[in-house]
């Protein structure tokens, strides 16, 4: 974690913390809405970079063959605030880049986009039984205190844990660390491969978990790259290819480091802000200019950036489309971690309305 912070930000950070604490105290005295549909919340205490969407995708893979699922997300960065169920003709502008990513991966799963989670839950409860979700996965809803999930999962990155962080704007915390008590489980993300049992014990000790909380350690796994525009007779991506990485992430470091370790000829990295709008003239011009510097260079981008870049098909020349590749990721838990997570999720689902046996 970067400890070089502007000390002057401690003052607004203290004021921010006071405001959040007052808000939480008020919400603690109010009864939140608990849906009749079991709801699993995936969230964090920190701003960005913890991997919420990939972990929602992990839960989809683990649960989709057992329950009729829906993903509830606010659709950050979209142009509208109206509730919408993602369909075949949606774009990142109408539903947001991350919902678009999930829609592409799981076309048979309902993606419900609405910043008002309580309104969205009530709407799904009123759906006909043939399409009504049996379980709802709520993406980035930990601070949405007007809703009480059946099961709440809190994420924190191994190299930037919330117990070493500070409140905004001095640090990256959305709320004080004591808010972690609302989580039923904590998943430590971006876990190094060489983690020792002693490292794990020390980290768990620092989390200061309550008796009802358990902890998991996950890591990012990179799958085989695929062409972003497969219809264009793509140029092959090989180990010796000259590479430019292209990303708009909260924390692009793991993506860039993986590319650098996999391909020895990474020439440069084009790094943009989280949820970057690639249609912006300056940004698109920079990408096109980098592509013109060499006709052999291959661009490697992320699944999150893929939908927005694909929407620019008419503005990206075919010669560059042929050189755009996507690096898919997935979240990996140990077999024991997967078993424990599934058992706890199923127990929460059964205890909150869905009468199915736990297997």
């Amino acid at each position: 974690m970067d400890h070089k912070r502007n000390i002057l930000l401690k003052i607004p950070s203290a004021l921010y913390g006071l405001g959040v604490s007052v808000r939480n105290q008020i919400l603690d005295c109010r009864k939140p809405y608990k849906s009749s549909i079991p709801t699993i919340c995936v969230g964090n205490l920190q701003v960005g970079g913890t991997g919420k969407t990939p972990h929602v995708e992990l839960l989809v893979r683990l649960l989709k063959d057992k329950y009729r699922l829906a993903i509830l997300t606010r659709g950050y960065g979209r142009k509208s605030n109206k509730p919408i169920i993602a369909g075949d003709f949606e774009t990142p502008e109408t539903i947001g880049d991350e919902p678009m990513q999930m829609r592409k991966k799981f076309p048979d799963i309902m993606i419900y986009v609405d910043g008002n989670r309580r309104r969205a839950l009530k709407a799904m409860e009123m759906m006909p039984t043939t399409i009504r979700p049996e379980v709802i996965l709520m993406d980035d809803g930990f601070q949405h205190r007007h809703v009480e999930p059946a099961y709440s999962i809190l994420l924190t990155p191994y190299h930037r844990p919330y117990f070493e962080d500070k409140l905004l704007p001095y640090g990256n915390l959305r709320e004080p660390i004591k808010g972690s008590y609302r989580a039923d489980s904590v998943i430590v993300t971006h876990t190094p491969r060489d983690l020792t049992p002693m490292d794990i014990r020390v980290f768990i000790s620092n989390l200061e978990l309550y008796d009802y909380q358990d902890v998991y350690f996950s890591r990012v796994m990179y799958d085989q790259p695929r062409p972003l525009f497969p219809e264009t007779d793509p140029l092959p991506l090989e180990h010796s290819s000259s590479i430019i990485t292209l990303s708009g992430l909260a924390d692009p470091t793991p993506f860039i480091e993986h590319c650098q370790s996999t391909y020895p000829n990474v020439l440069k990295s084009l790094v943009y802000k989280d949820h970057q709008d690639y249609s912006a003239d300056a940004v698109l011009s920079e990408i096109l200019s980098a592509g013109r510097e060499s006709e052999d260079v291959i661009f490697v981008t992320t699944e999150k950036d893929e939908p927005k870049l694909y929407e620019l098909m008419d503005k990206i020349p075919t010669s560059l489309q042929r050189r755009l590749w996507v690096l898919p990721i997935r979240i990996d838990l140990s077999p024991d971690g997967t078993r424990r997570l599934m058992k706890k999720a199923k127990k929460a689902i059964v205890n909150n309305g869905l009468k199915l046996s736990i297997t």
Side-chain angles (χ1 to χ4, degrees), residues 31-49:
K31 185 175 179 62
Y33 181 73
K34 191 165 187 176
S35 175
S36 60
I37 303 175
T39 302
I40 299 175
C41 172
V42 178
N44 57 12
L45 291 180
Q46 296 150 295
V47 176

Side-chain angles (χ1 to χ4, degrees), residues 119-146:
R119 177 176 64 188
L121 291 173
K122 289 183 177 181
M124 283 187 274
E125 290 171 358
M126 298 299 293
M127 290 179 175
T129 55
T130 53
I131 62 172
R132 184 180 187 263
E134 294 176 323
V135 176
I136 296 172
L137 305 177
M138 186 164 61
D139 184 17
D140 195 14
F142 197 75
Q143 281 73 39
H144 200 86
R145 300 289 307 280
H146 299 288

Side-chain angles (χ1 to χ4, degrees), residues 94-338:
T94 59
I95 62 173
D97 50 12
E98 288 162 335
M100 195 69 195
Q101 171 187 325
M102 291 186 285
R103 170 68 181 171
K104 184 172 183 177
K105 282 188 173 182
F106 307 108
D108 297 330
I109 302 296
M110 180 187 297
I111 311 290
Y112 200 106
V113 186
D114 191 358
N116 188 323
R117 272 68 161 195
R118 179 161 51 182
R119 177 176 64 188
L121 291 173
K122 289 183 177 181
M124 283 187 274
E125 290 171 358
M126 298 299 293
M127 290 179 175
T129 55
T130 53
I131 62 172
R132 184 180 187 263
E134 294 176 323
V135 176
I136 296 172
L137 305 177
M138 186 164 61
D139 184 17
D140 195 14
F142 197 75
Q143 281 73 39
H144 200 86
R145 300 289 307 280
H146 299 288
V147 167
E148 180 184 352
Y151 180 34
S152 187
I153 299 173
L154 179 66
L155 308 181
T156 190
Y158 181 82
H159 293 295
R160 188 168 56 92
Y162 59 72
F163 57 76
E164 291 182 356
D165 212 337
K166 304 294 181 182
L167 285 168
L168 290 166
Y170 186 59
N172 296 291
L173 289 178
R174 297 173 170 182
E175 61 174 303
I177 293 174
K178 65 180 181 181
S180 63
Y181 79 90
R182 301 196 306 274
D184 299 296
S185 297
V186 175
I187 298 182
V188 183
T189 67
H190 301 289
T191 303
R193 291 183 177 275
D194 57 353
L195 207 61
T196 68
M198 178 59 73
D199 294 330
I200 293 175
R201 286 196 294 271
V202 170
F203 197 98
I204 293 176
S205 175
N206 288 330
L207 287 172
E208 298 183 350
L209 299 176
Y210 292 86
D211 290 341
Y212 57 86
Q213 295 176 311
D214 58 352
V215 62
Y216 306 83
F217 290 81
S218 71
R219 63 170 57 96
V220 171
M221 303 292 288
Y222 292 92
D223 290 330
Q224 287 298 315
R226 64 171 185 269
L228 200 156
F229 296 97
E231 63 275 14
T232 61
D233 187 24
L235 294 183
L237 172 59
E238 300 173 340
H239 179 71
S240 59
S241 297
S242 297
I243 303 293
I244 293 178
T245 66
L246 170 60
S247 60
L249 305 173
D251 181 11
T253 304
F255 164 70
I256 294 173
E257 289 181 345
H258 174 79
C259 289
Q260 291 173 336
S261 65
T262 305
Y263 306 103
N265 296 322
V266 175
L267 305 181
K268 68 167 71 172
S269 294
L270 298 178
V271 177
Y272 299 103
K273 65 181 181 180
D274 197 15
H275 302 282
Q276 175 66 54
D277 177 7
Y278 288 107
S279 65
D281 290 341
V283 173
L284 184 58
S285 295
E286 183 177 26
I287 295 171
L288 297 179
S289 176
R292 287 191 293 266
E293 292 177 5
S294 171
E295 294 183 357
D296 297 324
V297 69
I298 302 293
F299 286 75
V300 179
T301 190
T302 74
E303 287 182 303
K304 183 175 178 178
D305 296 299
E306 177 184 11
K308 292 177 291 186
L309 290 168
Y310 193 85
E311 288 297 311
L312 298 177
M313 179 185 297
D314 294 340
K315 297 183 179 180
I316 299 176
T318 304
S319 60
L320 180 53
Q321 290 181 22
R322 298 179 64 213
R323 295 181 281 139
L324 280 165
W325 285 70
V326 179
L327 183 61
I329 67 169
R330 58 184 170 85
I331 298 300
D332 181 60
L333 285 178
S334 68
D336 176 67
T338 300

